[in-house]
């Protein structure tokens, strides 16, 4: 909003009961007047609720088809840490598979189906664990820090923040 010279306030959205837009002044970073981003937190995704929102999906017309086990994965970055919750069904390191086609297409789904990452439940009401990575020292996300008691307070704080953010998502 600052860069465009307009207000970040949206009166029509507020009248409709929507939350305010997420706007931070980024020009100092973009123009290199500052090397530190004002944004410390990046919500990447919340559980996919294909058939309604969190309050209606379990009770909707397709409730029997919906579950966090099948429609789940969420992620949040705060500073240099990334939290992943839910089940990532295709946790595949792509270099050997794609884009260089070293694995035939017919085998690709077999490889992907055998490679998944279980980061607990993605249900914001039942978060007890997740996968935690330091994306600055481990950009490939191979070392899960969630079991390390040194990182337990950070994990708990990030799970709480994820649940707080997930409650505000409109599907």
């Amino acid at each position: 909003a600052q860069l465009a010279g307009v207000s970040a306030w949206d009166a029509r959205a507020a009248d409709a009961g929507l939350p305010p837009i997420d706007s931070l002044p980024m020009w100092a970073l973009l123009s290199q007047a500052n090397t530190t981003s004002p944004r410390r937190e990046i919500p990447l995704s919340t559980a996919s609720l294909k058939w309604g929102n969190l309050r209606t999906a379990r009770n909707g017309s397709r409730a029997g088809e919906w579950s966090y086990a099948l429609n789940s994965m969420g992620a949040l970055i705060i500073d240099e840490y990334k939290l992943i919750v839910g089940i990532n069904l295709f946790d595949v390191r792509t270099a050997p598979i794609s884009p260089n086609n070293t694995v035939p297409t017919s085998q690709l789904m077999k490889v992907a189906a055998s490679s998944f990452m279980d980061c607990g439940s993605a249900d914001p009401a039942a978060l007890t664990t997740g996968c935690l990575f330091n994306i600055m020292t481990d950009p490939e996300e191979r070392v899960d820090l969630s079991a390390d008691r040194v990182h337990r307070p950070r994990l708990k704080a990030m799970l709480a923040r994820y649940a707080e953010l997930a409650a505000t998502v409109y599907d």
Side-chain angles (χ1 to χ4, degrees):
Q2 177 193 29
L3 185 58
V6 297
S7 171
W9 179 250
D10 185 342
R12 285 184 19 199
D15 290 345
L18 297 173
I21 65 167
D22 176 10
S23 179
L24 292 174
M26 300 296 289
W27 181 245
L29 180 68
L30 295 172
S31 65
Q32 299 180 349
N34 186 346
T35 58
T36 305
S37 173
R39 184 173 300 282
R40 294 183 50 237
E41 171 181 279
I42 305 170
L44 299 176
S45 62
T46 59
S48 173
L49 303 173
K50 290 182 179 179
W51 305 294
N53 62 36
L54 180 59
R55 289 162 286 289
T56 62
R58 295 179 209 178
N59 305 314
S61 61
R62 297 182 74 179
E65 301 172 47
W66 185 91
S67 83
Y68 271 108
L70 299 174
N71 303 302
S72 69
M73 193 171 151
L76 169 66
I77 294 174
I78 298 178
D79 296 327
E80 68 267 21
Y81 291 91
K82 180 178 179 182
L83 169 72
I84 299 174
V85 296
I87 299 169
N88 181 353
L89 297 177
F90 300 101
D91 180 33
V92 178
R93 309 298 174 191
T94 60
I97 299 169
S98 175
N100 60 10
N101 272 342
T102 56
V103 174
T105 306
S106 61
Q107 297 296 313
L108 185 60
M109 290 309 288
K110 289 180 184 177
V111 171
S114 67
S115 302
F116 68 93
M117 178 172 45
D118 186 350
C119 294
S121 174
D123 183 344
L127 290 174
T128 58
T129 192
C131 297
L132 182 67
F133 301 97
N134 182 320
I135 56 176
M136 299 306 283
T137 61
D138 178 23
E140 292 183 358
E141 300 171 14
R142 293 184 183 268
V143 180
D144 182 3
L145 303 170
S146 64
D148 185 337
R149 63 178 192 203
V150 170
H151 293 284
R152 204 67 189 153
R154 180 181 319 281
L155 176 65
K156 287 184 178 190
M158 288 183 74
L159 287 168
R161 181 63 179 145
Y162 173 84
E164 183 181 344
L165 290 168
T168 68
V169 172
Y170 292 88
D171 287 320

